[in-house]
Structures are given as structure tokens and as C-alpha cells.
Amino acid sequence: MAEKPQTLAAIRGMNDILPPASEKWLWLEGVVRRTMRRFAYRNIRTPILEHTQLFARGLGEATDVVEKEMYSFTDRADKSGAADHLTLRPENTAGVVRAALEHHLLQSAGAQRLYYMGPMFRRERPQRGRYRQFHQIGAEALGFAGPEADAELILLAAELWRELGISDWHLELGSLGQPEERREHRAALIAYFEAHKGELDEDATRRLHTNPLRILDTKNPAMQPLVEAAPRLMEHLGEASQAHLRAVQQMLDAAGLPWRINTRLVRGLDYYNLTVFEFVTERLGAQGTICGGGRYDGLFAQLGGKAAPAVGWAMGVERVLELLEQGGNAPEAPAPDAYAVIAAPDALAPAMRCLMQLREQGVAVQMHARAEGAEGMGSLKSQFKKADASGARYALIFAGDELAAGEVSLKTLRGDNAGQQTRQKLGDEAQWAQMLKRSNA
Ligand code: ATP
Ligand code: MG
């Protein structure tokens, strides 16, 4: 006898999204599409697989994502024996910039406002708010140098929170300046820590000349006073960088959007300069960043293209949906308008024809179908139970007498008129379909 095959489970950190949760996803995606349209951002879709090189060059070799979190593999060799090194995208900014360069988008069509939604992959330790396949919604403004693009993007995210009904967040704002300002700050940091060599722990001593910025991230409580007093990048910004940040702040103020400066805001990826920002909530535990972004004027050139200024953000869909569990505007998933009760198999064909007419008129109808290969359709009682459980407001009853007269019975299941029953003409669906629709309830 053949052995029963073992059932398989999904990969750790990668989630199935089932109904009714998937209804919330659909709603969120709809809100995003409509909001993006109101800001004149247009949709872009890039492949989920890219050459590993894109991320190594785009995100920086020394980032956590590139060093240890990417799902990379070598493709099958082609006839010449050469094989590609491919990676499941850990983020989509590099892919969007690659696509813009490859299709000469900025040259042929001017500056671009773009958005995307889709799965990303990072091999992190799965925990609340942190998964190995997760989803991002992202917006990128390519070819815009002025602080108005930064401010517009931040306001776009804030408008999304408003539409979604999420209010428990704050906006943190900072500036990473320009590369030369970062180099000056690094030198100042090294000088400062050298002057306090005796107070450094083992880790910090090791990082002093390799990566002094990482000392600022230390978890060692004994080091905190030293780190607190260390020179801050935002104090090393030149006039132009400061003016850019001030202009962003003024536009946010004018729009009534509160912000707070975080001088320690460092984004995980190498490509940022000038404005950086995060929307953070206290309601999600340790994984409280729901949206992060900033300016990345260096990325086009870093990917071998003609330099172009750009700014963008990405939000974590799973985290936003978890916030929506705690409150927000997400509606209940809609029930069908009507449930079709089918008395006997010979009613199936006329019922099917009628239901297609109703659906063409925009009515949502769930048809009774047999779970087991039985001869009959199941008792009317059990069918009405299912009709009730479906949440439908009407039952359509396809049964002998009515069908013989070219009619169907329409029974109201819910509301003031529950129990009321009328007859409707088959073939005339357009005449009576409208009253079944939710908008007419
Ligand atoms: P974090 O500090 O939480 O690791 P990050 O700086 O790595 O975030 P980004 O690369 O800026 O995140 O991605 C933007 C957003 O995507 C994050 O703010 C977060 O909401 C979401 N995100 C990032 N990594 C994950 C993940 N592994 N699982 C779920 N959401 C994630
Ligand atoms: Mg991360």
C-alpha cells in the first residue's frame, strides 16, 4: 500500500495570507492606489529576481542586508557554462533605479514619481513584525533635487496614515549631509574616541579605525555617557545641507505635520544622503518603524548611470496591518448580496444562467454547490443554513414550481423585511437586479 505523503509547511518566516486577512490587504492596496493617484505617483513593477551585483553595488557591501540577509543562488549554467548570480530582492529601490537607467526613463520622459507594492526577502530572525518574506509599499521621486520632493513624499505617507485611520505615530527627521560632511564627522569621531581611549570597551577599540560610526550603536550601558557626548553628524553639516533640511521642515510645518529631529537617525542602507526620516509607532513593540526613507542622490551614479537626484520611502505592509488590527478604517469584508439555493440538480442550468445575468448587473452572488458528489443538492434546510452563514441579505430559491413558471423566489434574510418573499421573472434580471445590491440596502 502506498504511504500517505507527508504534508509540507511553508518556509519559516514566510506567511500565507488567507481570507479574511487577505480582504484587509486588498482594501489597503486600494487605498494606496487611490492615494498615489492623488499625488500623481505612477505604478512601476520590476522583477523579483535581480543580479546579485545590483544589490551589492546599490545597498553597499558592508550592510547587514548584503552581508548576511540575502537569498542568493547561482542559476543553471547556459550552453557556454556561464551562470548568473541571482538574488531575491531585499528591497525595491535598487530595482527601480536599475529600470529607470535601463529604459532611459529620465532622459525620455523627464523626472518620475513612481510607486510599487510587493514582496521582499531578507533572511532575518523571524519575530513579531519581522519576516523573511515581507511586503513593502514604496514611493520614489526620481530626478527631483529640491526639498519639495522630500516634503511631498513625507506628506504622501502622512496622507496614507490618515486614509487608513492610523494616528499613533510620530515622524523622526534627520540629515546625513553629503559624503564630504560624513568624512569630516568620521574624522571628528575618531579624534574624540582616541581622546577617550581608556573608556572604550573591547568592541569599540576594535572598531575605532574600521567603523567608528558603529560605536554609536553600542548596547553597552557603561559606554552610554561617552556615546551621548560624541560629536554628532548633524553638527557637521555645511550651510547647503542645513538649508535643505530647514526647507523640508518649513513645508511640513506649513502643512501642519509635526516632526521631531533625531540626530541619531541612521538608515540601514548605504545609499542615503541629506534628508532621512522614519515614521515610528510605540504600538508594535520592538519593530516600531512602519515607514522609512530618505534622499539618495548618489545611487544612480553608484549603479553606473548618469547621476540624478532622488528621494523615496518604503513602508512595511505587515507592520501597518498589525497596527490596523488595533484600530483604523478597515471595513468588514463584504458579504455576498445573495445566496442561490438550488432545490434539485435540474435547477442548476437555469440558476446558472440567472446568476450570470445578475453578476453582469454588479450583484455579488454565491451559488450553492455540492461539497460531496451526491445526487441531490442537499436539503433546503442545510442550504438556508449556509445562506445565513454567508452573510447574504437575500436568498434566491430555484425550485420546481417557480422555475416551471419562469420565475425565481427572492427571500429577504436580514433586516426589517426579513422573511419577506417575492417572485421575480427569469430573463428580466436587469429589471430587479439593482435592489439586491449592497448600495441599495
Ligand atoms: P528595521 O530597522 O525594522 O530592520 P530597515 O531599516 O531594515 O527596518 P528598510 O530597509 O528601510 O527597513 O525597509 C522599510 C520598511 O520595511 C521598514 O521600516 C519596515 O517597516 C519594513 N521591514 C523591513 N524589514 C522587514 C522585515 N524583515 N519584516 C517586515 N517588515 C520589514
Ligand atoms: Mg532591517
Side-chain angles (χ1 to χ4, degrees), residues 54-55 92 130 172 179 232 235 265 273 289 334 370 440:
L54 174 68
F55 304 114
N92 205 9
R130 195 175 291 290
E172 301 193 350
R232 289 169 190 241
E235 290 153 8
L265 196 60
N273 70 315
T289 304
R370 285 167 283 197
N440 291 328

Side-chain angles (χ1 to χ4, degrees), residues 317-328:
V317 177
E318 282 81 358
R319 293 184 195 180
V320 171
L321 283 162
E322 199 189 330
L323 262 187
L324 282 169
E325 291 291 303
Q326 304 176 23

Side-chain angles (χ1 to χ4, degrees), residues 65 69 122 124 130:
V65 172
E69 297 174 357
R122 296 184 194 177
E124 308 193 70
R130 195 175 291 290

Side-chain angles (χ1 to χ4, degrees), residues 176-186 233 237 241 270-274 297-298 302:
L176 298 182
Q178 300 293 10
E180 49 301 353
E181 290 157 358
R182 290 225 281 277
R183 274 193 293 277
E184 272 173 38
H185 172 243
R186 188 188 143 101
L233 171 59
L237 299 183
S241 294
D270 265 5
Y271 53 55
Y272 290 105
N273 70 315
L274 289 176
D297 295 335
Q302 206 169 305

